[in-house]
Amino acid sequence: NEGKNWEYIENNPNKTYEYVDKSKLVVSTDSTLLYESLSRGVKTIFFDGTSVLDKNYETRRFGWPMKTKKNGLFWTTKIDQNSCNRIMKKIIQMKIKKWKSVCEKYSKEVMIRDFKNSKLRKTIKSLI
């Protein structure tokens, strides 16, 4: 069975980023933490059934408001066993160098990482 080494982690706000950074793969439904995981270079998969079932939740689909297909390299609206296994296997087996280039491409569009808020700090210093 492919799910042998999975661990569901309960929310612990004090350790969230520690958990993400130590993970080989982060899988979830739409959340800002997933976007942050992607911007940090962690292999990340977005499962989205909500925007497919209810058009009022279109803003929950991956990359919104960016125009993306319903299914892509690391996101899918197909929530069935075969689709889930396929996308997870593909991302798990992807070489880290390739994954980093994917992250760089999409992070520029969905969530740019500003390590230690350097841009914000610079702006605040210039105002003081």
Side-chain angles (χ1 to χ4, degrees):
N1 192 348
E2 292 189 42
K4 292 184 226 176
N5 298 315
W6 287 93
E7 181 181 352
Y8 177 81
I9 300 172
E10 291 290 333
N11 185 20
N12 180 338
N14 297 322
K15 293 188 175 190
T16 301
Y17 296 106
E18 178 184 333
Y19 292 152
V20 167
D21 291 341
K22 288 181 178 179
S23 297
K24 291 181 182 178
L25 178 68
V26 176
V27 177
S28 187
T29 57
D30 179 56
S31 76
T32 56
L33 181 60
L34 278 183
Y35 288 101
E36 292 179 68
S37 173
L38 180 68
S39 75
R40 294 167 86 87
V42 177
K43 289 182 176 182
T44 305
I45 298 175
F46 293 72
F47 287 109
D48 169 30
T50 308
S51 67
V52 174
L53 298 174
D54 187 343
K55 293 300 177 193
N56 293 323
Y57 289 97
E58 167 97 2
T59 59
R60 306 274 311 266
R61 70 175 169 73
F62 172 74
W64 184 89
M66 182 174 75
K67 301 290 184 204
T68 59
K69 295 179 180 179
K70 287 184 178 182
N71 302 292
L73 182 64
F74 56 91
W75 70 92
T76 186
T77 58
K78 295 178 182 177
I79 312 298
D80 62 76
Q81 192 68 50
N82 288 335
S83 296
C84 293
N85 287 345
R86 180 190 51 76
I87 197 168
M88 286 190 286
K89 184 176 182 179
K90 178 173 47 175
I91 298 304
I92 288 168
Q93 293 177 348
M94 184 179 289
K95 302 279 186 212
I96 197 68
K97 186 175 180 177
K98 168 73 173 160
W99 178 254
K100 295 288 185 181
S101 70
V102 168
C103 288
E104 190 175 312
K105 175 184 175 183
Y106 285 96
S107 292
K108 289 178 184 177
E109 296 292 327
V110 296
M111 182 171 285
I112 297 172
R113 183 161 188 237
D114 180 17
F115 187 66
K116 295 188 178 182
N117 292 316
S118 61
K119 293 176 185 177
L120 177 61
R121 289 172 187 251
K122 185 177 178 180
T123 301
I124 290 171
K125 281 184 178 182
S126 71
L127 297 173
I128 297 176

